[in-house]
Amino acid sequence: MKNLLELDTLTIAKELLGYTFVHESVEGTAGGIIVETEAYLQGDPACHAYRRKSVRNAPMFGEAGTIYVYQIYGMHFCVNISTNKKDVGEAVLIRALQPTLGVELMQARRNTEEIKNLCSGPGKLVQALGIHKQMNNWHILDSDLKIISPSVQIVESEIVTTTRIGITQGADLPYRFYLKDNKFVSRKG
DNA sequence: CGTAAGATGAAG
DNA sequence: TTCATCTTACGG
């Protein structure tokens, strides 16, 4: 994983597919297999770090592995992992997981029994894993979050590349990746 | 200062 | 398809 974080952002976004993303909290362990990601790059108008470093987007400029949690639409949160060197504002958004760990806990947090509805969206997985704003700007190696490499490596033919969800700027850029035929990816796509 | 848009989700 | 909900960025 130390290795993983040294790669370029688009490669990391693809590599992350198949990794297990976990949060170990006092309530218990919860997590799943990453099945959908999006990359946000320098010079990309959809990137929160497109214009200027600010209080909000500062974690994107941190060392690779810095956690970026932000609130969206006044009610949901999304989690990113900063990539590239310090002072380069790039990151990978974790968009969906296939639930594997702490399913019961995630069902309680999400208030639904439906496995398909636990982590099939960036806001959903944040809620299911109990990720909160306090983790913003921490480094993942120094946090309760973990990313664990897959036992069987994902091959290129299993990865689908498309445009990103929910953006208006840079809408034509092919920076979204998900596992082919996986039923836990977020809806519109 | 005022305000519009935003990397969404749930319900109708 | 609509609406809930509120912070941040940007213009005046």
Side-chain angles (χ1 to χ4, degrees), chain A residues 25-168:
Chain A
S25 73
V26 291
E27 298 177 299
T29 297
I33 299 165
I34 298 173
V35 298
E36 179 182 355
T37 61
E38 282 179 1
Y40 289 86
L41 310 187
Q42 284 246 297
D44 161 16
C47 182
H48 286 177
Y50 182 53
R51 294 182 182 285
R52 192 176 206 83
K53 185 172 178 178
S54 65
V55 174
R56 181 220 200 185
N57 66 25
M60 295 189 77
F61 292 87
E63 298 284 351
T66 300
I67 298 163
Y68 173 42
V69 179
Y70 70 93
Q71 187 180 28
I72 189 65
Y73 296 116
M75 46 175 66
H76 303 294
F77 290 86
C78 296
V79 64
N80 297 249
I81 297 173
S82 179
T83 53
N84 215 311
K85 297 184 174 64
K86 181 165 158 49
D87 297 328
V88 179
E90 303 194 343
V92 173
L93 169 68
I94 310 297
R95 284 196 60 90
L97 308 178
Q98 176 172 334
T100 55
L101 300 167
V103 171
E104 258 186 45
L105 176 56
M106 294 195 288
Q107 286 170 322
R109 281 170 172 160
R110 291 271 304 133
N111 196 32
T112 177
E113 299 288 300
E114 205 55 59
I115 309 295
K116 300 176 299 299
N117 204 23
L118 256 31
C119 301
S120 54
K124 294 180 186 180
L125 86 261
V126 161
Q127 187 182 22
L129 299 211
I131 291 170
H132 61 89
K133 186 95 188 288
Q134 295 306 110
M135 298 177 183
N136 189 47
N137 212 24
W138 286 39
H139 194 279
I140 192 163
L141 295 177
D142 193 29
S143 75
D144 296 333
L145 293 175
K146 286 185 169 52
I147 50 177
I148 304 161
S149 60
S151 46
V152 181
Q153 195 67 319
I154 301 296
V155 296
E156 189 75 23
S157 61
E158 297 177 83
I159 300 175
V160 181
T161 302
T162 67
T163 53
R164 295 169 294 184
I165 305 290
I167 55 170
T168 54

Side-chain angles (χ1 to χ4, degrees), chain A residues 9-29:
Chain A
T9 304
L10 285 171
T11 304
I12 293 174
K14 282 189 275 190
E15 278 299 308
L16 237 24
L17 296 175
Y19 272 69
T20 295
F21 189 50
V22 183
H23 180 210
E24 293 172 352
S25 73
V26 291
E27 298 177 299
T29 297

